[in-house]
Amino acid sequence: MAKTYGTWLQEQREAKGWSQQQLADEAVMSRSLITAIETGRRYPSETDAKRLDQALGTGDVLTTFRPNQSPDVQVADWFEKALEFERQATVIREFGLSFIPGSLQTEAYATAVIDAGYPRVSEAERHKAVVTRLARGGLLEDPVNPALWALLDEAVIRRPIGGHAVMAAQLSHIIELAEAGRIRANVLEFGTEPHPLLDGMVTLMWFEDQPPIVYAEGMRMGQIHDSPAMVEEIQGAYDLALSEALPLQKSLALLRAVAEEYRNHG
């Protein structure tokens, strides 16, 4: 639905002969937000939609039919804003300490992660959570944006979430994306010296026309950092950890070897 909505928005903009920047100026929004909505990567807020309707003279069409979080979409309260930023980002750098980053998870792996939560959720809630998790992977359907770099602690690939077959398929998914050049993937081996990212999961995001941010997550909590000093500090920590990781081809070789171990175990 978001894709159809975005296509219609683009048609209305082009009918007026406007560039994305011109529409952004008229609607008092950023151009990257217009791009994200038109490509279906971002759901407009009600305020966004009203501004677009007013700028384009489309009555209340964009407001009335705007995509929103339907009953089939579910995220934790602390992640909701981060999800919006993720849809706008042009560059994303992930660090996975305990789990494969959500945008790279397969359906079976995501289901296993959600099932591991406590207290257990209902079948309906699990379905919503899995659908949302898989929708994040849709970001990678665009061949270029966002550029995604995944830094994985070796514990992430060694812990058999969902069983050996699930892990073999999950690691193969990451390998395929990396071999196709769609993502970069590096592994921090167990023998690596302690590094400043061991505190938890981190996502760094850059945008076309707004400052970078960091999303950090721990046990049932998450926080967005937009202070330039804090972002710079965490980016430095990420770069330091990345410098200790295996290079791309050696990382892929390790991922292939571990995936094969899982397959042979099965």
Side-chain angles (χ1 to χ4, degrees):
M1 179 179 179
K3 187 73 173 181
T4 302
Y5 182 96
T7 300
W8 194 83
L9 170 61
Q10 180 179 350
E11 290 172 351
Q12 302 311 304
R13 172 179 62 77
E14 292 176 345
K16 293 183 75 69
W18 287 355
S19 66
Q20 289 182 335
Q21 187 59 60
Q22 287 175 300
L23 175 56
D25 292 341
E26 291 290 333
V28 194
M29 298 162 64
S30 68
R31 188 173 76 83
S32 62
L33 177 54
I34 299 296
T35 300
I37 295 173
E38 287 189 351
T39 57
R41 293 191 292 117
R42 172 86 186 266
Y43 301 106
S45 67
E46 185 173 0
T47 300
D48 292 338
K50 286 181 178 178
R51 287 176 175 172
L52 291 169
D53 270 329
Q54 185 173 2
L56 292 168
T58 49
D60 60 358
V61 174
L62 291 164
T63 305
T64 301
F65 296 101
R66 71 183 180 91
N68 54 22
Q69 289 199 355
S70 70
D72 284 335
V73 177
Q74 177 173 301
V75 294
D77 293 342
W78 63 80
F79 185 66
E80 187 171 348
K81 189 62 178 178
L83 183 61
E84 291 185 21
F85 281 120
E86 185 179 72
R87 292 178 180 136
Q88 299 179 60
T90 56
V91 176
I92 299 175
R93 288 194 173 188
E94 300 265 22
F95 171 63
L97 178 63
S98 301
F99 301 106
I100 300 293
S103 57
L104 299 177
Q105 292 180 9
T106 64
E107 181 174 358
Y109 184 94
T111 301
V113 170
I114 292 164
D115 283 346
Y118 182 84
R120 294 291 295 270
V121 298
S122 68
E123 188 69 24
E125 289 175 322
R126 182 178 71 166
H127 172 73
K128 294 176 188 177
V130 171
V131 167
T132 303
R133 191 74 54 87
L134 296 180
R136 292 176 61 195
L139 292 172
L140 299 176
E141 292 176 2
D142 185 302
V144 177
N145 290 311
L148 192 147
W149 199 322
L151 177 60
L152 307 174
D153 191 277
E154 187 172 351
V156 173
I157 68 173
R158 293 289 185 184
R159 183 174 293 109
I161 302 294
H164 297 89
V166 169
M167 283 302 300
Q170 174 63 75
L171 296 185
S172 294
H173 176 61
I174 295 173
I175 293 166
E176 288 170 5
L177 288 170
E179 288 181 334
R182 184 59 188 86
I183 69 169
R184 298 279 298 189
N186 296 86
V187 179
L188 272 164
E189 291 184 291
F190 283 137
T192 305
E193 292 293 321
H195 57 82
L197 291 185
L198 286 173
D199 289 339
M201 187 279 287
V202 169
T203 302
L204 297 98
M205 291 179 266
W206 286 264
F207 308 90
E208 185 175 327
D209 52 9
Q210 62 189 71
I213 65 164
V214 170
Y215 172 71
E217 188 171 288
M219 183 67 175
R220 296 193 179 278
M221 65 180 66
Q223 184 173 358
I224 291 173
H225 300 284
D226 57 6
S227 161
M230 179 64 76
V231 172
E232 183 177 357
E233 179 180 335
I234 296 177
Q235 182 179 346
Y238 190 100
D239 291 343
L240 179 60
L242 183 59
S243 72
E244 297 291 334
L246 291 173
L248 175 62
Q249 293 305 321
K250 289 186 178 180
S251 293
L252 292 180
L254 178 57
L255 289 170
R256 292 188 196 100
V258 175
E260 187 63 21
E261 289 175 15
Y262 282 128
R263 281 190 287 269
N264 290 338
H265 189 283

